[in-house]
Amino acid sequence: MMAMSDLSTPKTTSPFLRSSSQLRLSSKLHLSNQFRHLHLVPPPLHATSISKISCSVSQNNQAPVAVQENGSVKTKKECYGVFCLTYDLKAEEETKSWKKMINIAVSGAAGMISNHLLFKLASGSVFGPDQPIALKLLGSERSIQALEGVAMELEDSLFPLLREVDIGTDPYEVFQDVDWALLIGAKPRGPGMERAALLDINGQIFAEQGKALNAVASPNVKVLVVGNPCNTNALICLKNAPNIPAKNFHALTRLDENRAKCQLALKAGVFYDKVSNMTIWGNHSTTQVPDFLNARINGRPVKEVITDHKWLEEGFTESVQKRGGLLIQKWGRSSAASTAVSIVDAIKSLVTPTPEGDWFSTGVYTNGNPYGIAEDLVFSMPCRSKGDGDYELVNDVEIDDYLRKRIAKSEAELLAEKKCVAHLTGDGIAFCDLGPVDTMLPGEV
Ligand code: LMR
């Protein structure tokens, strides 16, 4: 899906269309009752092609419809409704000082997590009040109607910073030129499904999305994998995107960090903002290691503030590891709102400087880490950022015997998962032996 201003060949004149030089500067917004002709979709870059479509609107204020152009039945929608007008951001006094628009892709865009996330992104509370954004929403064929519903609600929210919404089912189109890819969509484990099968099914999705990002995304795209099992999915994704730096891929463990901070704050009787330096080590699974050795409460080591060390080693650790499962028992579905909040936190941690002395947790590619963790995994570790979208590892965190043993268990789990998906990472033939105890996601009990 190419930006309309790059591709459009306007056939009708509208007061909203400007000269070609202005068009080059412009971003787009579709206005349903003012705009009649829209753009052509570029030929897809991969084999399974789709027909050219354009987005058009009726003149009587009905919902916009995608118009077929070559007589075949159209299966994809493009820009949506109010988001289809091309106009010039530099022409308006209020928007003149805004930054260049960024493109954000969200997969699983019709799901519950996205439903919370998209409105936060569009409100400006994530990337800032002068950062216009385009949302590129990826869904399945089955969810295309729901995606239109999402786009309609985004329209109705009148977010000034939201300048473009595209919806689609083809990652090679949706990921075109994206600066951020938030990969949420994944299949949950069904009844009786082996974890090996889950790894394979989701792995295929993330391998394809990795290839698509590699082919069409911005070369410095930042990728945050949320769909479970997110560490191994992130590894598969990055292995299929050799042109994108491996460092740009993250697996979401920020939700675990937030959960750990909450539990420590509760036990210590302080508000959560007093808890800092919280590391989650390892896999987003029940082997993850919430690190109470290095975390701080009001700047003091947790073990000084919470003297019940048995609780820290057992109760606290398990409560974080299994929080997702407990939530499913209560809700009847996995966490959505708090996951969306943690995605926001994870992004903000990369686009704002980390406060002096603190750090955040994110699952990153292990490549020269100082903790002796096996290379070539996606492993959650303590990181810091200058706020430029990049990060560096915090390399002087203390690891005692307790931590080392537990970190090794999470590492072993990730190594075993990696063997299960060797066919998807270019590492040969998969061999899946996940041990006598099947590994669990936090949400599985
Ligand atoms: C969570 O941690 O809440 C989710 O990852 C749970 C799940 O399995 O979806």
Side-chain angles (χ1 to χ4, degrees), residues 32-311:
S32 55
N33 56 350
Q34 289 161 308
F35 197 72
R36 294 189 180 82
H37 172 76
L38 296 163
H39 64 302
L40 302 178
V41 177
L45 294 164
H46 60 128
T48 54
S49 103
I50 58 155
S51 60
K52 286 201 273 181
I53 58 166
S54 63
C55 239
S56 171
V57 293
S58 69
Q59 294 176 42
N60 55 359
N61 278 349
Q62 284 171 348
V65 291
V67 174
Q68 71 183 51
E69 293 221 345
N70 64 358
S72 65
V73 176
K74 172 183 56 52
T75 54
K76 308 249 178 348
K77 303 284 190 291
E78 261 279 321
C79 61
Y80 193 83
V82 76
F83 302 107
C84 293
L85 175 72
T86 301
Y87 76 106
D88 184 4
L89 273 181
K90 295 287 170 204
E92 308 282 339
E93 209 41 55
E94 319 85 87
T95 60
K96 225 179 221 162
S97 59
W98 283 3
K99 295 178 183 156
K100 186 170 171 282
M101 187 166 73
I102 54 169
N103 296 318
I104 306 167
V106 179
S107 78
M112 292 286 287
I113 298 171
S114 299
N115 202 248
H116 290 277
L117 176 66
L118 294 171
F119 294 81
K120 294 179 201 301
L121 292 170
S123 73
S125 66
V126 184
F127 289 98
D130 58 351
Q131 179 60 75
I133 65 166
L135 288 176
K136 314 279 179 178
L137 309 183
L138 181 68
S140 62
E141 296 286 349
R142 262 188 327 147
S143 71
I144 198 75
Q145 290 266 3
L147 277 185
E148 287 189 29
V150 172
M152 285 167 69
E153 285 208 81
L154 286 166
E155 280 185 306
D156 295 344
S157 301
L158 309 182
F159 290 117
L161 290 161
L162 180 60
R163 294 288 155 161
E164 186 179 324
V165 174
D166 293 326
I167 61 180
T169 56
D170 183 343
Y172 283 82
E173 293 183 340
V174 176
F175 293 165
Q176 187 78 48
D177 299 325
V178 297
D179 304 292
W180 288 83
L182 312 176
L183 305 183
I184 298 171
K187 271 214 170 359
R189 171 145 62 164
M193 189 193 278
E194 298 282 328
R195 186 165 172 88
L198 180 80
L199 280 162
D200 183 54
I201 291 171
N202 279 318
Q204 311 271 358
I205 297 171
F206 286 87
E208 199 208 354
Q209 293 185 358
K211 288 190 178 93
L213 286 167
N214 198 56
V216 301
S218 149
N220 198 27
V221 60
K222 304 290 188 288
V223 184
L224 176 60
V225 177
V226 179
N228 280 321
C230 62
N231 294 55
T232 296
N233 288 341
L235 183 70
I236 293 168
C237 198
L238 74 87
K239 291 283 183 169
N240 283 277
N243 298 337
I244 300 168
K247 205 184 173 195
N248 290 17
F249 290 78
H250 299 258
L252 184 80
T253 53
R254 187 50 173 267
L255 178 58
D256 306 300
E257 175 184 328
N258 291 355
R259 288 168 171 170
K261 282 180 166 167
C262 175
Q263 293 307 308
L264 290 178
L266 275 168
K267 183 75 173 176
V270 299
F271 202 61
Y272 355 98
D273 62 346
K274 302 293 181 281
V275 186
S276 64
N277 304 80
M278 187 72 240
T279 311
I280 301 294
W281 297 95
N283 200 2
H284 175 67
S285 78
T286 49
T287 67
Q288 67 177 273
V289 187
D291 176 352
F292 54 82
L293 179 68
N294 294 289
R296 297 188 159 249
I297 298 175
N298 275 321
R300 292 172 58 207
V302 164
K303 282 174 104 171
E304 272 179 39
V305 180
I306 298 173
T307 50
D308 182 352
H309 294 176
K310 188 167 165 15
W311 177 82

Side-chain angles (χ1 to χ4, degrees), residues 247 350 360 382-386 390-395:
K247 205 184 173 195
L350 294 170
F360 56 88
C383 296
R384 295 180 49 79
S385 175
K386 294 187 179 71
D390 206 354
Y391 67 88
E392 59 203 32
L393 289 182
V394 177
N395 53 23

